[in-house]
């Protein structure tokens, strides 16, 4: 179920295994398990820690595609993914999306 998968994705985030977090997120979809903001936040955070900016950005798009609303945690994780690459253009774009989406910035 969602809680069990979320715990596993979060463990991947903590363990630095972003590729496994993505696999679990994919497994959730294939098994028709509801993916929520916690699922995506943990996977985006794992990608950020692994330096996988483009994967993190793709997950943001996927959230929109499946109607999962991002929150401050989502965008903070995505912004963290921009840092290792020094990609400030994407960071500014994300801040703009946050403002346009009325997501609270901290």
């Amino acid at each position: 179920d969602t809680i069990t998968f979320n715990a596993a994705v979060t463990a991947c985030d903590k363990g630095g295994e972003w590729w496994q977090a993505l696999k679990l997120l994919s497994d959730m979809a294939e098994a028709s398990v509801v993916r929520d903001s916690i699922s995506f936040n943990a996977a985006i955070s794992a990608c950020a820690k692994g330096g996988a900016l483009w994967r993190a950005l793709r997950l943001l798009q996927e959230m929109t595609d499946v109607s999962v609303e991002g929150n401050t945690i989502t965008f903070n994780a995505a912004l963290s993914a921009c840092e290792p690459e020094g990609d400030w253009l994407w960071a500014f774009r994300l801040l703009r999306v946050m403002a346009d989406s009325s997501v609270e910035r901290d």
Side-chain angles (χ1 to χ4, degrees):
D1 69 338
T2 302
I3 294 171
T4 303
F5 269 103
N6 284 351
V9 175
T10 299
C12 292
D13 173 29
K14 304 288 186 211
E17 297 185 14
W18 63 268
W19 61 92
Q20 188 62 36
L22 294 178
K23 171 77 169 86
L24 286 168
L25 203 62
S26 176
D27 290 348
M28 289 176 78
E30 289 176 18
S32 298
V33 174
V34 174
R35 297 178 298 168
D36 58 16
S37 62
I38 295 168
S39 316
F40 282 98
N41 291 350
I44 291 169
S45 178
C47 289
K49 290 174 185 170
L53 171 61
W54 297 111
R55 301 282 183 154
L57 294 174
R58 177 64 190 113
L59 289 174
L60 276 176
Q61 180 59 51
E62 190 173 341
M63 287 180 77
T64 301
D65 294 346
V66 298
S67 301
V68 174
E69 189 172 325
N71 55 33
T72 303
I73 295 168
T74 309
F75 283 95
N76 282 346
L79 286 165
S80 293
C82 296
E83 186 177 357
E85 303 253 344
D87 199 329
W88 300 110
L89 180 58
W90 270 108
F92 287 127
R93 287 178 181 163
L94 289 170
L95 288 171
R96 184 169 186 165
V97 171
M98 285 179 76
D100 291 348
S101 303
S102 301
V103 173
E104 184 177 328
R105 290 179 275 175
D106 64 351

